[in-house]
């Protein structure tokens, strides 16, 4: 016999009462931000009206065809979008959103106009995640990338980094601006030993190429060491890096490479400034000489050509095309080396250094909030990408997630590598 629903049972046993008109339920109107959030599922399903949904400034940067390619790629990978799984408003017009698909999720940062019709002015995919993802799935996707990949996730323990998962983690590879972690480490050492203070003021040195902002600052502008280090780490400012490195002294930075635990420091020594690296890449004769040199002759080459390298005209367009000697003129380390570098900074870095690394955590704000601490420094140029995360979980455990990918024949897909790395970071957060 079917049980009577409890609500009906209660009504049957209650005394008769005079019927009353139902009280209408008034639903509060959705905010403009929520309305745009709710429309994301349809948009990622391939629907929506590109002209009406996106502001002029967005459409100037992204075409309907580009948007269609991105959303189609997500559907190919994760199936159809189903629902909004999580929303974290970070302002009246800004939110971190997790969109649920059949087989995974996509994290996006959404920004809308503050005035009607509140069209979308920013929509950035900050990470993707398979449902029931594992480190083994992450490793398989890394191995499928063309070119050379090295990667590792490490629990940072009293005896040193312990591998959780590794993919070619002992292989030495180009790491781009990740070398700036060694410069930061030497700055930390000099401040801790009293040789210098973060408040020391120096003159801004010769301009290098972007990334950064300080190449546009007045020549010789007075800046503190903390300003230089902060710009170097947070926005990878090359002019700040070169000025700081020159102030600290190259020989001491070279020594720090071994101190932080790089297993084969001679492979990357002498540590080049960013200006030197660009100038050597731009000069065929110097490029050939450098790639054929050993450690002692590389040091001699820098000494003999010091004036030439300092005055060379640099063109940022040189990095718009194919990779330029990523296996020859670069900074080199393995994932294991970079895990030891991050661990050294964890153990010896002061509050200032820790704060610098946390300015740009390298992951979406919503993902960063899953950790007690998230620090980051990466590096990239045509054919090279490297990412290095220092993470402290909510239960107090420390991890390093570090990896690199490079090709000599073509550019690498920075977005694809960042997405895979973000999955590893998300697994650490769990």
């Amino acid at each position: 016999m079917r049980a009577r629903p409890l609500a009906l049972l209660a009504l049957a046993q209650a005394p008769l009462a005079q019927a009353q008109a139902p009280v209408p339920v008034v639903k509060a109107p959705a905010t403009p931000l929520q309305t745009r959030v709710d429309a994301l599922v349809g948009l990622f399903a391939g629907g929506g009206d590109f002209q009406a949904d996106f502001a002029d400034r967005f459409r100037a940067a992204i075409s309907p065809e580009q948007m269609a390619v991105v959303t189609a790629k997500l559907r190919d990978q994760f199936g159809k979008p189903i629902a909004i799984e999580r929303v974290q408003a970070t302002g009246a017009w800004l939110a971190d959103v997790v969109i649920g698909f059949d087989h995974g999720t996509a994290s996006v940062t959404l920004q809308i106009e503050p005035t009607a019709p509140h069209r979308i002015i920013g929509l950035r995919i900050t990470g993707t995640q398979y449902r029931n993802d594992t480190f083994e799935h992450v490793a398989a996707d890394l191995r499928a990338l063309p070119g050379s990949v090295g990667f590792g996730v490490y629990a940072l323990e009293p005896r040193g980094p312990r591998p959780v998962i590794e993919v070619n983690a002992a292989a030495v590879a180009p790491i781009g601006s990740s070398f700036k972690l060694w410069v930061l480490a030497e700055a930390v050492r000099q401040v801790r030993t009293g040789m210098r203070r973060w408040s020391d003021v120096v003159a801004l040195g010769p301009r290098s190429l972007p990334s950064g902002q300080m190449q546009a600052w007045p020549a010789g502008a007075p800046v503190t060491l903390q300003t230089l280090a902060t710009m170097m780490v947070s926005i990878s400012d090359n002019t700040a890096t070169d000025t700081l490195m020159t102030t600290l002294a190259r020989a001491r930075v070279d020594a720090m490479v071994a101190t932080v635990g790089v297993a084969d420091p001679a492979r990357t020594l002498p540590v080049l400034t960013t200006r030197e690296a660009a100038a050597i890449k731009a000069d065929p004769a110097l490029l050939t000489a450098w790639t054929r040199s050993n450690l002692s002759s590389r040091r001699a080459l820098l000494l003999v050509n010091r004036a030439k390298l300092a005055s060379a005209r640099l063109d940022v367009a040189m990095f718009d095309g194919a990779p330029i000697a990523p296996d020859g003129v670069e900074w080199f380390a393995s994932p294991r080396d970079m895990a030891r570098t991050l661990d050294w900074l964890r153990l010896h870095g002061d509050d200032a250094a820790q704060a610098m690394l946390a300015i740009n955590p390298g992951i979406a704000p919503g993902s960063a909030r899953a950790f007690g601490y998230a620090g980051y420094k990466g590096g990239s140029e045509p054919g090279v990408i490297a990412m290095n995360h220092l993470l402290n979980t909510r239960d107090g455990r420390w991890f390093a997630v570090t990896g690199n990918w490079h090709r000599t024949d073509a550019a690498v897909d920075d977005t694809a590598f960042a997405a895979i790395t973000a999955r590893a970071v998300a697994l650490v957060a769990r």
Side-chain angles (χ1 to χ4, degrees), residues 97 140 154 402 423:
V97 185
Y154 301 88
T402 177
R423 288 165 52 198

Side-chain angles (χ1 to χ4, degrees), residues 3-14:
R4 190 188 305 184
L6 291 178
L8 294 181
L9 180 63
L11 178 61
Q13 294 174 342

Side-chain angles (χ1 to χ4, degrees), residues 45-120:
D49 183 333
F50 193 79
Q51 187 77 17
D53 292 338
F54 292 93
D56 295 346
R57 58 190 281 193
F58 186 96
R59 299 198 312 273
I62 304 293
S63 69
E65 293 76 19
Q66 290 172 311
M67 187 72 187
V69 168
V70 171
T71 56
K73 184 181 290 187
L74 284 172
R75 294 193 298 274
D76 289 343
Q77 190 172 8
F78 299 113
K80 69 177 184 296
I82 301 170
I84 301 299
E85 296 194 359
R86 189 166 66 251
V87 179
Q88 176 69 52
T90 54
W93 320 112
L94 186 67
D96 295 322
V97 185
V98 177
I99 305 170
F101 290 72
D102 283 329
H103 309 299
T105 61
S107 299
V108 303
T109 298
L110 171 70
Q111 186 174 5
I112 67 171
E113 294 173 312
T115 57
H118 304 292
R119 293 172 300 178
I120 296 170

Side-chain angles (χ1 to χ4, degrees), residues 61-289:
I62 304 293
S63 69
E65 293 76 19
Q66 290 172 311
M67 187 72 187
V69 168
V70 171
T71 56
K73 184 181 290 187
L74 284 172
R75 294 193 298 274
D76 289 343
Q77 190 172 8
F78 299 113
K80 69 177 184 296
I82 301 170
I84 301 299
E85 296 194 359
R86 189 166 66 251
V87 179
Q88 176 69 52
T90 54
W93 320 112
L94 186 67
D96 295 322
V97 185
V98 177
I99 305 170
F101 290 72
D102 283 329
H103 309 299
T105 61
S107 299
V108 303
T109 298
L110 171 70
Q111 186 174 5
I112 67 171
E113 294 173 312
T115 57
H118 304 292
R119 293 172 300 178
I120 296 170
I121 58 176
L123 185 64
R124 184 166 64 95
I125 299 171
T126 57
T128 58
Q129 188 76 33
Y130 286 101
R131 298 196 191 279
N132 304 314
D133 203 6
T134 66
F135 284 122
E136 288 72 22
H137 291 155
V138 169
D141 288 345
L142 287 165
R143 293 189 181 100
L145 295 173
S148 300
V149 174
F151 198 84
V153 177
Y154 301 88
L156 303 182
E157 299 177 344
R159 293 186 178 183
R162 174 179 59 81
V164 176
I165 188 168
E166 293 185 312
V167 176
N168 300 326
V172 175
I175 59 170
S177 287
S178 301
F179 88 94
K180 295 169 185 176
L181 290 172
W182 303 332
V183 182
L184 176 63
E186 177 55 23
V188 166
R189 187 195 70 80
Q190 293 192 22
V191 169
R192 291 185 69 96
T193 58
M195 291 178 61
R196 300 186 187 278
R197 297 173 297 175
W198 288 120
S199 58
D200 287 350
V201 176
V202 299
L204 188 64
R207 294 180 174 91
S208 185
L209 292 174
S211 56
Q213 298 174 354
M214 298 184 85
Q215 72 277 357
W217 287 27
V223 288
T224 67
L225 296 190
Q226 186 160 355
T227 298
L228 293 171
T230 300
M231 297 289 276
M232 174 183 74
V233 173
S234 62
I235 62 171
S236 207
D237 192 296
N238 287 333
T239 299
T241 302
D242 292 358
T243 301
L244 181 60
M245 186 173 157
T246 301
T247 301
L248 300 174
R250 189 203 310 271
R252 291 193 172 105
V253 175
D254 285 358
M256 178 53 68
V257 173
T259 298
V260 296
V262 174
D264 183 15
R267 178 71 176 86
T268 201
L269 299 182
V271 178
L272 292 168
T273 66
T274 67
R275 165 172 266 279
E276 288 169 340
I280 292 172
K281 285 176 182 281
D283 187 312
L286 287 178
L287 177 58
T288 299

Side-chain angles (χ1 to χ4, degrees), residues 398-409:
W398 285 92
F399 288 85
V401 177
T402 177
N404 60 74
W405 175 25
H406 79 281
R407 300 179 64 173
T408 58
D409 59 333

